[in-house]
Amino acid sequence: MFLSLRTEVEAALDGALSTLEFPTDDLGIEEPPEDVESVLASSVAFRLASEAGTPPPQVAGQIGDEIDTDDLRYVGAVETQGPYLNFLPSDAYLAETLAAATDDAYGHLTDREESVVVEHTSANPTGPVHVGRARNPIIGDAVANLLEFAGYDVDRHYYVNDAGRQMAVFTWAYERFDEADLEDEPERDRIEYDLVRYYRKGNAYLEDASEDELEQAEAEIESIMQGLEAGEEAAYDRVSEVVDQVLSGMKGCLARLPAAFDEFVKETRFMRNGDTDDLVSRLKELDAAVYEEDAWQLELDDHGIDKNLVFLRSDGTSLYATRDLAHHEWKFDNYDRAVTVLGEDHKLQARQLRTTLELLDNDTSGLEQVLYSYVNLPEGKMSTRRGTGVDLDDLLDESIDRAREEVEDRLEDRIRDDELDEDDVERIAHQVGIGAVRYDIVSKQPTKAITFEWDRALDFEAQSAPYVQYVHARTCGILEEAGLDPETDLAAQEIELEGFEADLLATEAERDLLETIARFPAVVEEAADDLEPHRIATYTREFAEQFNGFYRECPVLSDEIDPELREARLALVAASKHTIANALSILGVAAPRSM
RNA sequence: GGGCGCGUAGCUCAGUCUGGACAGAGCGUCGGACUUCUAAUCCGAUGGUCGUGGGUUCUAAUCCCAUCGCGCCCGCCA
């Protein structure tokens, strides 16, 4: 409804300015500060003052007089406050918002008939997922949810780097060493924790090896890479044995978030189907292509990139970047847009990728990156190879444990007589524990650096997931108490919707809450346009504050409440429930019915 | 050295793209509110040279230039 109101305000303002023969290129529409009653405001009078030869407040008055609110549906009144024009909501605005938001799909935007592939995580299958890259699945999943919510047809892809040198090293190490060669026990009973030990052992061996040993090992590693390049089934099978096992374990970890994928796209796919060879020959034909020091490269200086892009090694094998080019052309063939969630350390590669795709005559306007900065430890970087870092599994376990303690501590103080059993405690511990980790990460701008500290990551205080989740639990509590099912559209239940009279919801708290609910679809649209899920998190916080204000001021089920008002307020609670549940679903944070 | 990003209250962050109404939250500190739809809540107080210096503008945290600090990148790795 906010979007409709904004359109209406734009049209009204445009009309008034035209009538007064003012320019209409900048309407100066903005959202007013919190203590101002209006939904939208305009500061256009500032800009017109010198042209009109009158002070801004008088210009604002003139414009305000030109707008007849009888012609407007959602604007109830136009008021001036000094130089500002304020647009106040009509009863219809509030009533229609309430009606729209009692639908459990509230906030979903209309289908855009546009497909988008969101590639995220794509961590090399070398071992357990650690916290250093945990931002990727959390942001990526939220971006995918957000786009889906905003009406796009979304596929989620994990691009599997199964053809790189790292995997050749891993495969060699897996075949070369036995359990007896390994010093440590697996840190956890899941396959990637078992196998990563071979990878670490292999890397350690290569570091300390004698010249002969090194030569022998390198020959073996090289043969695996050549085998892959030549499309040999045997080489592919050897690598796959490692990749598929490690990946299955990593999937298990990511599923805890939960982050799920429609497809795991292996880069070997683009070697086996000939796309990479084809691409290499096309690259060689480019003006920018040079053959230097036995390797084929692309000079991108003309495009503002100093670093050459090597696309064929001197030994004739392709590189990650080469295969990724084929991968992206495949994406362009199958999707309208391609969004990739990447660590900021891949920024230069992303530029090279885009530029090269353009040189190959691709339209890259649908290619977008979401960049985030890595999570580091106070003592430095996390590394799978060296085994430094905090495993995501451990972070989630710890968070769930702390959440469980919280739930148990609060059990005795509960006023509500809903007798949580052990399953409930466990359910809440998971919802809150995992939700807190996700919310903490998704609510910040991805470009901000994060240094991982346990206490900070596991802070359950306000402005974190439980604060927002609690609001959801409160809405459910009220609806259940009234005999309604929180999960279902209010329209489908035993309640008289015709009773919605917006003027029944007359208190400031009710109107503020309704106005906040009204903004939700606009927040979804803007966040989706800019690929910024953290805006949804900011919104959930604002929403929670508004709801808590309403909760404090406006009893719903009390005996003193008039039945009609009770129904209107119940509708408002249901609208709140759907709004916050849907906002949380975009963030991938669970919405508990009770906690 | 070059390129990119970040710098807002003691701490963690919104706000910056699209300049406007006294710069907002939370944590912390101090003081209050549970016979009431769940107090993981709420109310009040405290706290800010928006890194620094210039510029543009009626108006700058926001735009431009310079500068400092921190991070990332500058592999025939991924």
Side-chain angles (χ1 to χ4, degrees):
Chain A
M1 224 48 63
F2 180 84
L3 293 167
S4 306
L5 181 133
R6 192 166 64 195
T7 307
E8 199 175 276
V9 167
E10 282 164 4
L13 213 42
D14 194 273
L17 293 177
S18 300
T19 308
L20 294 167
E21 296 184 349
F22 285 130
T24 58
D25 53 310
D26 184 355
L27 302 175
I29 291 174
E30 60 192 71
E31 289 188 43
E34 246 178 76
D35 52 346
V36 176
E37 259 192 277
S38 64
V39 175
L40 280 177
S42 170
S43 59
V44 73
F46 279 114
R47 254 147 288 156
L48 302 174
S50 59
E51 183 169 331
T54 38
Q58 288 179 34
V59 179
Q62 279 178 43
I63 298 167
D65 291 343
E66 253 340 290
I67 298 173
D68 184 358
T69 50
D70 291 346
D71 299 339
L72 302 177
R73 180 167 184 78
Y74 300 122
V75 176
V78 182
E79 292 176 356
T80 59
Q81 194 170 330
Y84 294 96
L85 281 157
N86 282 311
F87 297 87
L88 279 71
S90 66
D91 284 350
Y93 178 75
L94 299 175
E96 288 185 30
T97 295
L98 191 58
T102 46
D103 186 327
D104 64 2
Y106 182 62
H108 279 93
L109 305 185
T110 51
D111 186 13
R112 299 179 194 240
E113 299 189 347
E114 203 175 330
S115 63
V116 45
V117 53
V118 176
E119 180 199 328
H120 70 83
T121 308
S122 301
N124 296 341
T126 50
V129 179
H130 61 61
V131 171
R133 43 188 179 217
R135 249 177 147 168
N136 204 316
I138 291 171
I139 294 170
D141 195 50
V143 166
N145 293 340
L146 176 59
L147 290 173
E148 209 158 67
F149 216 82
Y152 294 94
D153 184 10
V154 175
D155 271 359
R156 300 144 197 263
H157 285 189
Y158 184 121
Y159 186 49
V160 184
N161 306 159
D162 64 338
R165 196 187 135 81
Q166 286 184 51
M167 292 324 301
V169 169
F170 201 158
T171 302
W172 158 79
Y174 179 70
E175 294 170 353
R176 164 80 172 71
F177 298 104
D178 295 320
E179 179 68 35
D181 299 319
L182 307 170
E183 292 89 30
D184 306 313
E185 293 295 307
E187 286 166 31
R188 190 175 283 258
D189 183 20
R190 218 174 44 217
I191 190 69
E192 80 275 35
Y193 286 87
D194 181 3
L195 297 192
V196 73
R197 298 176 305 151
Y198 292 88
Y199 181 60
R200 288 177 184 150
K201 173 73 184 175
N203 278 292
Y205 176 90
L206 291 177
E207 267 180 42
D208 300 334
S210 69
E211 235 169 83
D212 285 355
E213 289 171 332
L214 193 61
E215 202 173 304
Q216 204 175 2
E218 288 295 347
E220 187 60 27
I221 292 163
E222 173 75 13
S223 85
I224 295 172
M225 293 183 69
Q226 290 289 358
L228 286 176
E229 199 68 30
E232 285 169 18
E233 206 62 31
Y236 176 74
D237 287 346
R238 286 166 72 191
V239 174
S240 289
E241 187 176 344
V242 176
V243 169
D244 292 347
Q245 290 189 81
V246 175
L247 202 56
S248 74
M250 294 169 79
K251 278 185 211 176
C253 174
L254 293 168
R256 299 183 65 191
L257 285 172
F261 296 87
D262 295 299
E263 204 171 336
F264 287 78
V265 180
K266 288 183 172 179
E267 58 178 338
T268 45
R269 166 179 181 162
F270 302 104
M271 301 169 84
R272 289 152 65 81
N273 70 4
D275 282 2
T276 304
D277 288 342
D278 175 58
L279 198 108
V280 166
S281 37
R282 283 164 61 214
L283 287 171
K284 285 178 179 172
E285 297 299 316
L286 294 176
D287 291 341
V290 292
Y291 186 72
E292 276 175 14
E293 295 172 46
D294 300 329
W296 278 95
Q297 342 196 347
L298 235 44
E299 279 184 340
L300 302 172
D301 303 62
D302 294 348
H303 306 273
I305 300 172
D306 296 337
K307 189 192 157 202
N308 277 11
L309 175 74
V310 177
F311 62 88
L312 203 61
R313 292 189 181 98
S314 49
D315 66 359
T317 56
S318 62
L319 291 93
Y320 173 85
T322 325
R323 291 165 237 133
D324 204 24
L325 286 164
H327 172 218
H328 275 80
E329 289 198 329
W330 172 78
K331 284 187 186 177
F332 291 161
D333 285 343
N334 291 286
Y335 299 94
D336 299 320
R337 290 173 66 188
V339 174
T340 318
V341 181
L342 285 175
E344 62 172 353
D345 50 339
H346 292 247
K347 202 167 179 175
L348 179 61
Q349 289 92 295
R351 280 184 62 208
Q352 287 184 320
L353 179 76
R354 175 186 295 277
T355 302
T356 307
L357 285 166
E358 282 166 9
L359 291 176
L360 291 168
D361 288 329
N362 292 282
D363 173 7
T364 61
S365 57
L367 178 65
E368 294 153 285
Q369 277 90 32
V370 175
L371 296 160
Y372 64 93
S373 94
Y374 261 50
V375 180
N376 286 320
L377 292 169
E379 57 270 24
K381 290 189 183 183
M382 303 196 199
S383 155
T384 302
R385 183 166 46 82
R386 294 196 305 269
T388 58
V390 175
D391 294 323
L392 180 54
D393 281 311
D394 291 341
L395 174 62
L396 296 179
D397 283 352
E398 180 68 23
S399 191
I400 292 165
D401 286 346
R402 294 201 193 188
R404 189 183 299 109
E405 277 172 39
E406 286 286 331
V407 181
E408 283 166 353
D409 283 353
R410 291 165 200 272
L411 225 40
E412 294 154 29
D413 302 333
R414 285 176 73 85
I415 293 176
R416 194 153 185 238
D417 163 36
D418 56 1
E419 292 173 30
L420 297 181
D421 60 23
E422 265 183 49
D423 288 347
D424 287 318
V425 171
E426 207 49 38
R427 184 206 84 222
I428 296 167
H430 274 76
Q431 290 180 316
V432 170
I434 290 175
V437 170
R438 289 189 73 136
Y439 194 89
D440 182 58
I441 287 176
V442 80
S443 62
K444 289 171 185 147
Q445 288 189 57
T447 46
K448 302 242 183 188
I450 294 181
T451 300
F452 181 80
E453 286 163 52
W454 281 103
D455 285 340
R456 198 171 285 161
L458 300 176
D459 185 1
F460 294 158
E461 295 300 326
Q463 264 199 350
S464 68
Y467 174 72
V468 178
Q469 290 174 313
Y470 189 60
V471 164
H472 181 265
R474 275 182 156 174
T475 62
C476 291
I478 295 171
L479 294 171
E480 280 174 19
E481 192 71 27
L484 298 167
D485 176 14
E487 303 300 323
T488 313
D489 282 4
L490 205 55
Q493 302 191 50
E494 297 287 312
I495 180 164
E496 189 48 68
L497 286 168
E498 304 308 313
F500 288 2
E501 291 296 336
D503 53 5
L504 285 175
L505 302 174
T507 66
E508 203 181 326
E510 288 164 307
R511 298 175 71 91
D512 286 350
L513 178 56
L514 212 37
E515 285 176 24
T516 303
I517 290 171
R519 279 175 43 226
F520 181 49
V523 172
V524 170
E525 181 171 87
E526 284 165 18
D529 285 349
D530 297 341
L531 302 173
E532 290 185 334
H534 80 271
R535 292 214 212 166
I536 303 292
T538 304
Y539 174 78
T540 60
R541 212 144 48 215
E542 291 165 4
F543 179 89
E545 273 169 39
Q546 294 301 335
F547 184 83
N548 284 325
F550 161 77
Y551 185 89
R552 183 180 67 247
E553 304 288 337
C554 305
V556 179
L557 304 175
S558 157
D559 291 340
E560 283 105 83
I561 300 300
D562 178 81
E564 275 188 29
L565 179 58
R566 175 190 151 108
E567 295 225 325
R569 284 185 177 169
L570 269 176
L572 182 55
V573 173
S576 299
K577 192 270 165 191
H578 295 135
T579 303
I580 199 64
N582 289 340
L584 285 173
S585 81
I586 291 171
L587 300 177
V589 172
R593 276 177 86 139
S594 63
M595 60 188 279

